[in-house]
Amino acid sequence: MQTISYIEPLFRPPSEANSLILQITNGCSWGKCTYCSMYAQPQKRFSVKPEEEVLREIEWAGSHLSGVRRVFLADGDAVTLSTRRLLAILDSIRTHLPDVSRVSAYCSPGNVANKTAADLKALREAGLGLIYMGAESGDDLVLKNINKGETRQTTADALNRLADAGIRRSVMLINGLAGSRFSEQHALNSALLANQTQPEYLATLVINFPHGEARFQAGFEGQFEKMAQPGLFKELHQLIGALELKSTIFRSDHASNQLALRGVLGKDKRKLLDQIEHALHFPAQSNLRPEWIRPF
């Protein structure tokens, strides 16, 4: 019987916990970032699920699943598909899952660059309402060292083009990505990226190395110095202190964050800074996540 098939492991943003996951691609077509091990397994080599299979899965979901309100298009590179194919998928979702109010996906800046303004507008009108973009950093040296294949400007351009098309943006930055040596420029230039683009959502997670640091260290030519928790808090404080956002929902609720923060920037900027300062000076009283919970 037709169901929905997945090639594990499957990843999705924390806020998509209750969404229907449609794995329309497998893995990531770039796959060269030194910090990322999400798609390192052999079975996660980038591939595209046949269009007919995806459409059958959507039709099956419409017949067998009730209460579907949100759909997330996996894996890490779904928007690399042609606009024609994406529109066919979105049209099928609209037909067979009429109660869906939001379709979202991960997307790299390069994926946006490969779409015209008309493409992006058509995708928005067809239901693609939210893009998660792992900017990771706004500093060009850091982006080069992690082999991201992007610059602050290419990322800013992509985010602003999505905004022009009416697609909301959730931007992810990585606390500790630059190590202690490059921490300040990482924090300040990441804030500059956010200020230039005013994303609807901004989130931070903390760098971790589940498979070791060797590949990552190579990109920094041995200059990466892993940060202890106080340094991570100071970098986060510097980032938020430099943000000049009008109405961006901020979260640091990923499992890797020892300090969970929630607020709206800019109105909650002082509150968030106070929480970080309290965690720095009174960690035992700051409701920090225990180390054993975090994925290190």
Side-chain angles (χ1 to χ4, degrees):
M1 181 179 71
Q2 172 72 40
T3 58
I4 299 177
S5 65
Y6 300 106
I7 300 173
E8 301 285 352
L10 193 66
F11 298 96
R12 49 88 182 150
S15 57
E16 300 293 336
N18 296 317
S19 300
L20 171 64
I21 311 296
L22 293 174
Q23 192 176 39
I24 66 175
T25 63
N26 177 49
C28 173
S29 66
W30 175 249
K32 300 175 184 177
C33 299
T34 60
Y35 65 89
C36 183
S37 59
M38 288 171 62
Y39 308 112
Q41 299 89 337
Q43 75 273 18
K44 299 303 293 183
R45 183 174 181 179
F46 180 74
S47 61
V48 175
K49 182 178 286 188
E51 182 176 350
E52 298 77 11
E53 184 177 350
V54 174
L55 298 181
R56 284 197 301 268
E57 290 180 347
I58 296 170
E59 186 173 357
W60 179 90
S63 300
H64 293 81
L65 303 179
S66 61
V68 177
R69 298 289 187 270
R70 294 181 176 182
V71 172
F72 178 73
L73 303 177
D75 261 337
D77 215 7
V79 185
T80 197
L81 295 182
S82 70
T83 300
R84 184 209 62 77
R85 183 174 288 199
L86 287 168
L87 288 175
I89 292 168
L90 292 167
D91 182 65
S92 183
I93 292 171
R94 194 160 42 185
T95 298
H96 297 289
L97 296 164
D99 293 331
V100 168
S101 61
R102 186 181 85 186
V103 180
S104 58
Y106 286 132
C107 181
S108 69
N111 285 337
V112 178
N114 289 331
K115 300 280 190 270
T116 67
D119 289 337
L120 295 173
K121 185 178 179 181
L123 292 171
R124 173 64 190 97
E125 291 174 349
L128 183 62
L130 176 65
I131 285 297
Y132 295 91
M133 186 173 291
E136 327 311 356
S137 178
D139 185 76
D140 286 348
L141 175 63
V142 175
L143 292 169
K144 177 178 179 292
N145 287 350
I146 64 172
N147 201 22
K148 182 69 179 178
E150 302 290 347
T151 64
R152 183 178 73 239
Q153 192 59 54
T154 63
T155 305
D157 289 345
L159 289 168
N160 287 329
R161 292 186 69 228
L162 289 169
D164 290 342
I167 298 175
R168 289 175 296 160
R169 302 136 313 146
S170 181
V171 176
M172 288 156 281
L173 300 170
I174 302 181
N175 189 197
L177 180 67
S180 57
R181 184 185 295 260
F182 305 108
S183 176
E184 182 176 6
Q185 66 193 70
H186 169 52
L188 295 179
N189 285 322
S190 295
L192 178 59
L193 171 66
N195 295 341
Q196 289 175 327
T197 57
Q198 298 290 316
E200 288 74 17
Y201 305 93
L202 182 66
T204 61
L205 52 82
V206 176
I207 187 67
N208 63 87
F209 306 99
H211 300 295
E213 297 181 32
R215 182 177 177 223
F216 187 82
Q217 281 283 8
F220 279 84
E221 298 180 345
Q223 297 185 76
F224 178 80
E225 299 171 356
K226 189 173 179 179
M227 301 172 71
Q229 190 59 64
L232 293 170
F233 285 157
K234 290 175 183 177
E235 180 180 281
L236 186 59
H237 190 280
Q238 192 165 37
L239 168 71
I240 293 177
L243 289 173
E244 297 296 337
L245 301 175
K246 299 173 184 176
S247 184
T248 295
I249 295 173
F250 176 79
R251 297 286 186 268
S252 69
D253 53 4
H254 185 267
S256 64
N257 293 291
Q258 191 168 15
L259 177 65
L261 298 172
R262 291 171 173 262
V264 178
L265 293 166
K267 73 180 183 68
D268 294 325
K269 181 174 177 176
R270 185 66 257 170
K271 180 190 77 171
L272 295 173
L273 291 173
D274 288 345
Q275 287 179 271
I276 298 169
E277 291 166 12
H278 188 269
L280 267 169
H281 296 108
F282 308 102
Q285 304 170 23
S286 298
N287 196 31
L288 301 182
R289 285 193 176 109
E291 287 292 328
W292 63 267
I293 290 179
R294 302 164 69 216
F296 289 91

